[in-house]
């Protein structure tokens, strides 16, 4: 009798998951570009990778690499993109598996993203400064070791979120029915608001309804769960000592940190700056996204650190 009840409950849960998945999928519109500028495509390993380009092509190249999460995309830089484009040639890709880029059902990995950042910087930019956020900073550091960028600006950098990879978690989220249902919960609007308040923003009033809507839409495009499945499973982490890797680079490094960051606390930033002989700039009343919460201050930091094109 108990077994029959469990089977009935299981069938019911699967049915509810299927209905929920259909309802979630039915409401999603095609994704619009997150940034204003020229929309371009970079063909890489059989994928079309979308990127936005703006500013004077003769100005210094500034490569913006967004962080990684279920709702990740170049939209992360929407508050600073236009202002930076006034003095720099700004290029912002959507990483493979995110945003407007192709999202094939690959087993995404940190090494894949390191290879992408390296190849993209080499093929699309010239002598660029790379601004990279959170986990993507590790990919940028490894790309810098290949000599494809001239300077790094790293925002709350980290090499990973897991002590070890969890293949069962990745496999579960990748499954068509249950995995999609779990992912829809992780990428729901209440979940996006919660993680934004808990990790990303010091003041969630800085997020408007349109931003929440875009984060939800980008996280519900076809194939959206595959890259985050690897992130949740710890497969996008990088096995590296960040301070050691930075110390070995022959490029200037600036660290930008939100004073109230908790996932990567400021104490870690101070230690990293000391050990790597890097410059540390702290932005008050900010967590993991100081560039989104305080865009003007971030733009000023970039302009203080980098040469810029002056327009008469």
């Amino acid at each position: 009798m108990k077994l029959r009840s469990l089977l009935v409950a299981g069938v019911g849960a699967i049915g509810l998951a299927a209905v929920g998945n259909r309802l979630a999928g039915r409401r999603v519109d095609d994704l619009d570009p997150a940034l204003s500028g020229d929309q371009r495509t970079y063909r890489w390993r059989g994928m079309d990778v979308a990127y936005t380009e703006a500013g004077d092509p003769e100005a210094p190249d500034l490569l913006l690499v967004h962080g990684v999460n279920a709702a990740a995309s170049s939209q992360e830089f929407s508050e600073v993109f236009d202002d930076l484009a006034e003095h720099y040639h700004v290029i912002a890709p959507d990483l493979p598996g995110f945003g407007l880029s192709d999202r094939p059902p690959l087993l995404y990995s940190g090494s894949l993203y390191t290879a992408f950042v390296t190849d993209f910087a080499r093929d699309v930019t010239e002598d660029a400064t790379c601004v990279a956020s959170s986990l993507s900073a590790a990919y940028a550091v490894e790309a810098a070791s290949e000599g494809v960028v001239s300077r790094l600006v790293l925002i709350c950098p980290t090499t990973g979120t897991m002590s070890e990879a969890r293949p069962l978690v990745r496999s579960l989220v990748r499954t068509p029915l249950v995995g999609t249902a779990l992912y829809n919960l992780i990428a729901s609007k209440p979940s996006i608001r919660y993680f934004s308040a808990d990790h990303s923003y010091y003041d969630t009033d800085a997020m408007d309804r349109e931003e929440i809507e875009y984060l939800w839409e980008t996280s519900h495009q076809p194939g959206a769960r595959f890259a985050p499945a690897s992130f949740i499973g710890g497969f996008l982490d990088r096995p590296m000592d960040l301070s050691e890797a930075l110390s070995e680079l022959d490029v200037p490094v600036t660290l930008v940190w939100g004073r109230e960051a908790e996932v990567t606390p400021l104490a870690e930033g101070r230690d990293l700056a000391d050990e790597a002989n890097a410059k540390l700039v702290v932005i008050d009343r900010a967590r993991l996204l100081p560039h989104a919460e305080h865009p003007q201050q971030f733009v000023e930091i970039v302009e203080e650190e980098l040469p810029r094109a002056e327009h008469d």
Side-chain angles (χ1 to χ4, degrees), residues 298-312:
F298 181 80
V299 170
E300 290 172 357
I301 291 168
V302 172
E303 291 181 343
E304 287 175 4
E305 293 299 304
L306 312 180
R308 73 182 199 179
E310 298 292 349
H311 299 288
D312 297 328

Side-chain angles (χ1 to χ4, degrees), residues 14 23-24 56-57 72 102 110 114 116 118 137 140 142 166 176 183 188 223 227 248 255 262 282 285 291 310-311:
I14 292 172
L23 290 174
D56 183 354
D102 284 349
T114 292
F116 168 76
T118 302
E142 291 182 297
R166 299 182 293 182
Y183 176 75
S188 66
E248 293 174 353
L255 307 176
E262 296 178 354
V282 180
R285 299 176 63 83
H291 49 307
E310 298 292 349
H311 299 288

Side-chain angles (χ1 to χ4, degrees), residues 146-200:
E146 298 295 323
V148 296
V149 299
S150 62
R151 183 185 293 258
L152 292 172
V153 177
L154 307 179
I155 306 167
C156 297
T158 184
T159 59
T161 57
M162 305 291 171
S163 57
E164 59 182 16
R166 299 182 293 182
L168 290 179
V169 172
R170 181 178 65 178
S171 296
L172 181 61
V173 178
R174 288 176 60 87
T175 57
L177 187 59
V178 176
T180 300
L182 288 172
Y183 176 75
N184 285 339
L185 289 175
I186 294 169
S188 66
K189 289 181 182 178
S191 179
I192 289 171
R193 292 191 187 95
Y194 170 78
F195 284 109
S196 296
D198 190 56
H199 301 322
S200 302

